[in-house]
Amino acid sequence: MSRAAAAALALLVLAACEEGDGGPTSPEPDGPSNALIDRVEIVSEPAANGTYLAGEELVFAVLVTSGDEVETTGEVFLIFDLGLASQPATLAAHEAGRLEFRYQIRRGDYDGDGISIPEGELMLGPGATLRIGGADLDRTVSGVPAGAGHRVFARYSPGESLIFDTTLDRFPVPSLGLEGALGCAAIEDFAGIVEAVLEGNAAGAAALFQVAWQTGRCVTLNQGAPAIFLSAAIAEHRNEVYDLVLAYGPGAGLGGQETAANWWTLADFLAEPP
């Protein structure tokens, strides 16, 4: 065979390989990725008292079984339950094996049992994609039950002006012959009084308040007096949830002496000004 014929034959073989007839190629991934969502965790913590307030942020971590590169376009959401409503947390950051979703608590949000995540799947916005290692991720999510450490109280925002209001009678208060709602400097003192009432022990609740009132730890909060909402704590006693709030305002102690300070009281004893 001449050199020219050999060269022509080599060119034909090379062309056949480039056309894919048995030659080496770099296949594109097709179909779903082998990566799965391993679990979802709530990684944020409330700033105080185990209760998120308006303006705080919930942060969820979605952990994936693959460490391959994460590729996203558009908006991706994790759906969770907050009180009686479902809310979307938005994908805010990602790295190999981990997706981070965020939601900012808004005025009016409330969950006395704690937020939870239903079984389902990550949701994609219009035209959005979520791929791991070049292939679509199986977006199935396992549920996460409600937890007392992730309760939400955003009926009011920190720093908001309110009034002490004893006209709301959804919670029985011991009758002590004193005017106004009850408030205590320490959450433990006030929680003890509330839980005695929940037990049906009005006399015990009155005795607890009387001792704390005489020592200046608890006061009466005058009807219509101004207050400033500071914080909240949602507690539970024998499966009954009750809401405590910390508010700054005037309180009358032993002998009628009035002191402006931070007082724990029932959420039902605060209201927006008329």
Side-chain angles (χ1 to χ4, degrees), residues 79-88 106 109-111 115-116:
I79 305 302
F80 68 99
D81 289 338
L82 196 166
L84 299 177
S86 294
Q87 299 288 356
R106 301 172 295 185
D109 286 343
Y110 180 87
D111 195 318
I115 60 172
S116 59

Side-chain angles (χ1 to χ4, degrees), residues 43-229:
V43 296
S44 56
E45 295 288 344
N49 307 311
T51 305
Y52 294 95
L53 305 178
E56 293 190 51
E57 197 166 46
L58 295 171
V59 183
F60 305 87
V62 175
L63 305 178
V64 182
T65 58
S66 170
D68 291 337
E69 182 180 0
V70 178
E71 303 168 3
T72 66
T73 59
E75 292 187 309
V76 182
F77 304 100
L78 171 68
I79 305 302
F80 68 99
D81 289 338
L82 196 166
L84 299 177
S86 294
Q87 299 288 356
T90 304
L91 180 62
H94 58 78
E95 59 187 14
R98 187 179 188 273
L99 311 174
E100 183 176 282
F101 293 80
R102 292 178 174 265
Y103 173 89
Q104 189 171 57
I105 301 296
R106 301 172 295 185
R107 167 70 186 265
D109 286 343
Y110 180 87
D111 195 318
D113 298 322
I115 60 172
S116 59
I117 301 170
E119 293 184 4
E121 63 178 24
L122 300 180
M123 303 298 293
L124 301 180
T129 61
L130 176 59
R131 297 168 68 82
I132 303 287
D136 290 341
L137 172 68
D138 181 341
R139 295 181 279 114
T140 303
V141 175
S142 298
V144 176
H150 297 287
R151 290 170 163 157
V152 178
F153 183 102
R155 284 172 54 184
Y156 309 117
S157 299
E160 184 173 353
S161 296
L162 304 168
I163 61 170
F164 292 124
D165 184 357
T166 59
T167 63
L168 302 173
D169 58 359
R170 287 171 285 175
F171 191 94
V173 181
S175 176
L176 304 173
L178 303 171
E179 294 184 358
L182 310 183
C184 298
I187 193 172
E188 293 81 9
D189 283 332
F190 198 81
I193 295 169
V194 171
E195 292 177 5
V197 172
L198 291 175
E199 292 279 4
N201 184 5
L208 288 172
F209 178 78
Q210 192 73 37
V211 171
W213 185 62
Q214 291 174 345
T215 57
R217 301 197 313 274
C218 293
V219 297
T220 56
L221 307 171
N222 296 332
Q223 168 76 16
I228 299 175
F229 173 75

